[in-house]
């Protein structure tokens, strides 16, 4: 069993954009959402892609609204959504993210998606990427139907840290040797609990925190195969593979910036 793990946020970190919209479209096709809700979710997805999650509670409101809408829905019906949108999500996985996943596996670490998105989305995606597993939001079930309540914490903000702490206890992970990747300041609880937090395409608030604390900052380009990393002492361009190499062989919060160079991603 691995001694440590790498935890990946989903939206704007592991994948480009947000997973809510393709999930919503498929939910609409199955009669679980209205056309008006799809338009609203689409607008939110656009704003999220541009500005990120500001931690203002709107994502929580969206998940709560959806949980109430699926109240009484058979589990089997909702379980069809994840596989249906899986090809779209896989196509959005950043090539840099794939390299990091591979490098962590080579270093003997487990890899997990940790996301507020439903478990029915993140579990199939993690399996498709060869990751160890996924932690997503779960709906409570009674007699094979969703109750409209949560089963466990909402995997957002402090809920992510709570879920990771339990997972680490169950699997024996040393969190000081573990890694967390996110774009959003809302994930500070998750990032602060590991020894190696890495900001990926950070929003302005997380960018500020990362610079203040000396955390590595990695920018995954959306349309090119080049990644950029920033530190408090300067700016350099490095490949995701080079970042992973450093992260995989150094220890301590600031060690990821100990060896940096310039290269393009193949």
């Amino acid at each position: 069993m691995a001694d440590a793990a790498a935890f990946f946020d989903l939206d704007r970190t592991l994948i480009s954009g947000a997973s809510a919209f393709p999930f919503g479209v498929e939910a609409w096709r199955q009669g679980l959402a209205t056309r008006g809700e799809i338009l609203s979710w689409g607008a939110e997805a656009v704003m999220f892609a541009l500005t990120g999650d500001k931690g203002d509670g709107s994502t929580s409101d969206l998940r709560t609204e959806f949980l109430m809408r699926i109240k009484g829905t058979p589990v089997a019906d909702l379980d069809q959504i994840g596989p249906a949108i899986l090809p779209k999500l896989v196509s959005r996985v950043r090539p840099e993210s794939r390299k990091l996943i591979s490098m962590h596996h080579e270093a003997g670490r487990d890899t997990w998606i940790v996301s507020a998105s439903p478990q029915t989305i993140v579990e199939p995606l993690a399996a498709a990427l060869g990751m160890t597993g996924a932690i997503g939001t779960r709906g409570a079930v009674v007699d094979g139907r969703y109750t409209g309540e949560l089963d466990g914490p909402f995997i957002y903000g402090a809920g992510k840290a709570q879920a990771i702490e339990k997972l680490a206890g169950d699997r024996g992970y040393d969190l000081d040797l573990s890694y967390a990747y996110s774009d959003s300041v809302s994930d500070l609880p998750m990032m602060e609990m590991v020894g190696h937090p890495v900001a990926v395409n950070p929003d302005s608030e997380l960018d500020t925190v990362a610079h203040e604390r000396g955390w590595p900052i990695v920018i995954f380009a959306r349309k090119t195969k080049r990644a950029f990393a920033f530190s408090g002492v300067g700016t350099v361009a490095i490949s995701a593979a080079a970042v992973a190499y450093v992260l995989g062989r150094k220890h301590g919060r600031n060690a990821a910036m100990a060896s940096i160079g310039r290269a393009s991603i193949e």
Side-chain angles (χ1 to χ4, degrees), residues 197-212:
V198 182
V200 178
N201 290 15
D203 58 28
S204 58
E205 290 90 344
L206 181 57
D207 183 78
T208 297
V209 172
H211 276 90
E212 290 175 348

Side-chain angles (χ1 to χ4, degrees), residues 161 237 246:
V246 176

Side-chain angles (χ1 to χ4, degrees), residues 222-237:
R222 292 177 176 82
K223 294 183 179 180
T224 65
K225 294 183 178 180
R226 189 175 297 275
F228 298 90
F230 305 91
S231 72
V233 297
T235 301
V236 294

Side-chain angles (χ1 to χ4, degrees), residues 172-236:
Y173 294 143
D174 185 338
L175 292 178
D176 286 338
L177 301 179
S178 295
Y179 297 73
Y181 298 86
S182 178
D183 70 291
S184 174
V185 71
S186 68
D187 281 335
L188 272 181
M190 173 179 75
M191 301 180 76
E192 290 174 338
M193 72 188 306
V194 300
H196 304 279
V198 182
V200 178
N201 290 15
D203 58 28
S204 58
E205 290 90 344
L206 181 57
D207 183 78
T208 297
V209 172
H211 276 90
E212 290 175 348
R213 302 187 186 184
W215 294 352
I217 302 175
V218 180
I219 304 301
F220 291 163
R222 292 177 176 82
K223 294 183 179 180
T224 65
K225 294 183 178 180
R226 189 175 297 275
F228 298 90
F230 305 91
S231 72
V233 297
T235 301
V236 294

Side-chain angles (χ1 to χ4, degrees), residues 13-26:
T13 303
L14 188 69
I15 66 173
S16 60
S19 59
F21 187 60
F23 181 82
V25 170
E26 187 60 30

Side-chain angles (χ1 to χ4, degrees), residues 19 23 35 42 56 65 69 71-72 83 100 120 137 154 183 198-199 211 229 246 249 259 265:
S19 59
F23 181 82
R35 187 181 298 273
D56 58 5
E65 177 183 340
R69 176 160 289 278
K71 183 177 181 179
L100 285 174
T120 53
T137 299
F154 178 52
D183 70 291
V198 182
H211 276 90
V246 176
R249 290 158 175 77
S259 176
I265 298 174

